[in-house]
């Protein structure tokens, strides 16, 4: 037996060995916006081609649970290719390594299917085949569609990249054959490129798709490609009219900035007029779309003779004197008969017409610099009224607490001040409110000038 030798100092406890504890670095994740790039292509040769520009979707972080980050991957890159002919998609996913940290590993396949649903193809070779096997998809889907317009529109400006004669706008009721399938393939584009939008209810027959199609000559049969579309809802207005509400509109990124959005809106305007609906409204328009819509409506209104006397009258009143120095500034709203004529003839609803009215007056003031102070007073009046939700010229009522021998919660005095004077109480936050009002007015004036500049150029 071998015994352990003891030191001269005698036996004693052995020193404890320290256990080394290693901590892996925390997984901070990567934002979806930083690692996902999306490409829209129309041929298999463009897939992977470095010169193809990526397109900018809305916030991709919204499609990933929690904080919008992807966890568990190092060096992650996701390139998504969308076939603009068949609307199929393929995701090329590469990464250096994975780490199963405290946040786990994000299920990329599931996350991407939440966006692309059945349009996503797992295999790249299968995706490349869709450019040939599915080349007639759009043509087959819209074969039963109603052609509501084809060719040019008077006054519209289409980029020379596409021949106007090759354009068609087809209408399909969502419940008609093929329309539901077609829209299901459009849904990923809606989610990616229409901010805050949700898919429409394909079981509701009152939805209609307006599809902007380009017919390109291609061997034996023409090749159909979707440039854009809009979803319009028809609903009842008592007692016997229908209204149209434009809910979604999208021009594919490759074709944006070329006049196709305006073209599509002008076609819908023509349909609304031809079918004599009550009016045409827009559901929560984005700032960019509202600008386009207003430019179109301004041009229509400037050519609408019945409202010209009302515009001339408003301009004549505004140019008479220093309105900004007066205690009360007139509202300069259009007369009721003008509002009704515009709605009945052009199908422009009251809210939109009031926005356009301000711009029509601005365009009629010559020189504008001479009258800009008074014009700003008018806009300030409008903005203040919009905030208060009522006409500021109306007498104001104020509720004031007063000393009382009765129950305090049941006792009050109502004062009515005339001419908008605040005779009783002064809001302590009024300076801040006035500054906010000033900023809103400046923003409104900026929007008016942008539209006025745009429509003035179009008339040259």
């Amino acid at each position: 037996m071998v015994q352990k030798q003891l030191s001269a100092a005698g036996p004693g406890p052995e020193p404890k060995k320290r256990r080394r504890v290693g901590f892996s670095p925390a997984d901070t994740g990567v934002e979806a916006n930083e690692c996902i790039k999306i490409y829209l292509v129309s041929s298999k040769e463009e897939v992977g081609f470095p010169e193809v520009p990526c397109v900018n979707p809305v916030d991709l972080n919204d499609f990933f649970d929690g904080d919008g980050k992807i966890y568990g991957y190092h060096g992650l890159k996701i390139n998504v290719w969308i076939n603009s002919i068949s609307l199929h998609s393929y995701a090329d996913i590469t990464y250096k390594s994975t780490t199963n940290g405290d946040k786990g590993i994000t299920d990329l396949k599931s996350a991407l299917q939440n966006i692309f649903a059945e349009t996503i193809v797992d295999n790249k070779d299968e995706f490349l085949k869709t450019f040939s096997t599915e080349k007639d998809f759009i043509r087959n889907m819209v074969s039963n569609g109603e052609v509501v317009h084809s060719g040019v529109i008077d006054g519209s400006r289409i980029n020379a990249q596409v021949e106007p004669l090759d354009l068609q706008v087809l209408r399909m009721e969502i419940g008609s054959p093929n329309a539901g399938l077609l829209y299901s393939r459009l849904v990923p584009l809606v989610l990616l490129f229409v901010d805050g939008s949700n898919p429409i209810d394909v079981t509701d027959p009152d939805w209609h798709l307006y599809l902007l199609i380009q017919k390109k000559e291609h061997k034996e049969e023409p090749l159909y490609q979707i440039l854009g579309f809009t979803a319009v809802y028809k609903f009842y207005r008592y007692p016997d009219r229908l209204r149209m509400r434009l809910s979604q509109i999208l021009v594919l990124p490759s074709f944006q900035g070329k006049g196709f959005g305006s073209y599509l809106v002008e076609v819908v305007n023509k349909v609304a007029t031809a079918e004599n609906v009550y009016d045409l409204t827009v559901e929560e328009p984005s700032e960019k779309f509202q600008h386009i819509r207003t430019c179109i409506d301004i041009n229509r209104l400037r050519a609408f003779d019945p409202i010209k006397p009302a515009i001339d009258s408003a301009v004549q009143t505004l140019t008479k004197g220093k309105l900004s120095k007066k205690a009360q500034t007139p509202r300069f709203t259009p007369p009721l008969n003008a509002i009704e004529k515009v709605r009945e003839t052009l199908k422009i609803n009251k809210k939109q017409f009031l926005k356009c009215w301000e711009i029509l007056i601005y365009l009629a003031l010559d020189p504008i610099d001479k009258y800009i102070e008074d014009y700003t007073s008018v806009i300030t009046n409008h903005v203040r009224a919009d905030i208060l939700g009522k006409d500021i010229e109306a007498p104001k009522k104020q509720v004031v607490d007063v000393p009382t021998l009765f129950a305090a919660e049941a006792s009050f005095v109502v004062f009515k001040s005339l001419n908008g004077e605040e005779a009783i109480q002064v809001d302590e936050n009024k300076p801040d409110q006035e500054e906010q009002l000033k900023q809103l007015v400046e923003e409104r004036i900026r929007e008016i000038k942008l539209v006025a500049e745009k429509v003035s150029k179009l008339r040259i």
Side-chain angles (χ1 to χ4, degrees), residues 224-237:
Y224 281 55
Q225 182 172 9
I226 288 183
L227 307 186
F229 80 97
T230 183
V232 176
Y233 192 73
K234 276 189 174 181
F235 58 102
Y236 174 73
R237 183 189 185 277

Side-chain angles (χ1 to χ4, degrees), residues 290-299 301-302 307 311 315 318 332 334 351-365 368 375 378-379 382 443-456:
Q290 181 60 32
H291 176 80
I292 294 172
R293 173 196 184 195
T294 302
C295 288
I296 293 171
D297 285 342
I298 287 294
N299 284 328
L301 289 164
R302 293 179 84 180
I307 64 169
I311 297 173
V315 170
L318 195 148
F332 286 96
K351 182 178 179 181
Q352 172 68 358
F353 180 41
L354 292 179
K355 290 180 179 294
C356 293
W357 181 257
E358 297 173 345
I359 303 170
L360 292 170
I361 292 177
Y362 180 92
L363 289 166
L365 292 171
I368 182 60
Y375 180 79
V378 171
I379 300 303
H382 289 183
E443 178 65 19
R444 180 80 67 89
I445 295 291
R446 184 187 70 83
E447 294 171 356
I448 290 170
K449 288 182 176 179
L450 285 174
V451 174
E453 181 181 356
K454 179 77 172 288
V455 298
S456 296

Side-chain angles (χ1 to χ4, degrees), residues 229-260:
F229 80 97
T230 183
V232 176
Y233 192 73
K234 276 189 174 181
F235 58 102
Y236 174 73
R237 183 189 185 277
Y238 182 83
D240 56 357
R241 300 291 294 275
L242 289 174
R243 304 180 75 185
M244 290 173 61
R245 180 173 64 227
L246 193 154
S247 177
Q248 295 174 352
I249 184 167
L250 171 67
V251 174
L252 272 62
S254 306
F255 301 98
Q256 291 178 4
K258 298 177 172 62
F260 296 114

Side-chain angles (χ1 to χ4, degrees), residues 26-297:
D27 185 0
T28 58
V30 58
E31 291 191 2
N33 290 326
E34 295 178 359
C35 63
I36 300 178
K37 293 186 182 300
I38 297 178
Y39 302 87
L40 202 63
V41 291
S42 59
S43 68
K44 65 179 183 180
E45 289 77 19
E46 293 179 317
V47 179
F49 188 63
E51 299 301 319
V52 175
C54 64
V55 292
N56 298 318
V58 298
D59 193 354
L60 289 171
N61 293 350
D62 292 341
F63 298 106
F64 291 83
D65 296 336
D67 54 6
K69 289 186 176 182
I70 299 173
Y71 291 96
Y73 298 88
H74 300 286
L76 178 64
K77 293 182 180 180
I78 303 175
N79 292 330
V80 179
W81 305 87
I82 300 176
N83 180 343
S84 63
I85 304 297
S86 71
L87 305 176
H88 283 99
S89 56
Y90 167 72
D92 182 17
I93 303 173
T94 60
Y95 50 88
K96 295 178 181 178
S97 61
T98 60
T99 302
N100 194 355
D102 56 336
K103 298 292 183 68
I105 301 177
T106 300
D107 185 348
L108 294 176
K109 183 176 180 179
S110 175
L112 291 172
Q113 282 184 334
N114 287 338
I115 306 173
F116 298 98
E118 71 274 7
T119 69
I120 196 163
V121 178
D122 291 333
N123 183 278
K124 183 177 181 180
D125 289 337
E126 290 298 319
F127 174 69
L128 294 177
K129 289 179 182 178
T130 63
F131 289 95
S132 56
T133 60
E134 297 273 344
K135 62 182 177 60
D136 295 325
F137 171 74
I138 300 298
R139 180 165 61 87
N140 293 334
M141 289 297 101
V142 303
S143 59
N144 295 323
E146 174 193 1
V147 179
V148 294
H149 191 85
S150 60
V152 298
I153 294 178
D154 292 340
S156 65
R157 299 193 175 190
I158 300 295
N159 188 285
Q161 180 181 340
V162 175
E163 284 290 336
L165 294 178
D166 294 340
L167 297 177
Q168 282 187 343
V169 176
L170 296 99
R171 177 169 61 182
M172 300 182 71
E173 182 184 311
I174 199 64
S176 63
N178 300 331
L181 173 59
L182 175 57
Y183 183 73
S184 70
R185 292 201 188 179
L186 290 170
V187 166
L189 300 179
V190 172
L191 297 176
L192 287 171
F193 301 113
V194 182
D195 193 13
S197 190
N198 293 308
I200 64 174
D201 181 3
V202 295
T203 65
D204 189 337
D206 291 324
W207 281 107
H208 292 81
L209 298 179
Y210 289 75
L211 303 153
L212 178 56
I213 304 293
Q214 179 191 12
K215 292 171 57 178
K216 301 169 71 174
E217 293 302 324
H218 182 77
K219 299 180 181 178
E220 300 87 7
E221 297 286 348
L223 189 66
Y224 281 55
Q225 182 172 9
I226 288 183
L227 307 186
F229 80 97
T230 183
V232 176
Y233 192 73
K234 276 189 174 181
F235 58 102
Y236 174 73
R237 183 189 185 277
Y238 182 83
D240 56 357
R241 300 291 294 275
L242 289 174
R243 304 180 75 185
M244 290 173 61
R245 180 173 64 227
L246 193 154
S247 177
Q248 295 174 352
I249 184 167
L250 171 67
V251 174
L252 272 62
S254 306
F255 301 98
Q256 291 178 4
K258 298 177 172 62
F260 296 114
S262 298
Y263 182 93
L264 195 50
V265 173
E266 288 172 344
V267 170
V268 175
N269 283 334
K270 286 181 174 293
V271 171
T273 302
E275 298 185 353
N276 195 28
V277 298
Y278 182 80
D279 63 5
L280 173 64
T281 64
V282 177
E283 181 180 357
E284 298 180 1
S286 66
E287 182 178 337
K288 183 177 181 180
F289 176 76
Q290 181 60 32
H291 176 80
I292 294 172
R293 173 196 184 195
T294 302
C295 288
I296 293 171
D297 285 342

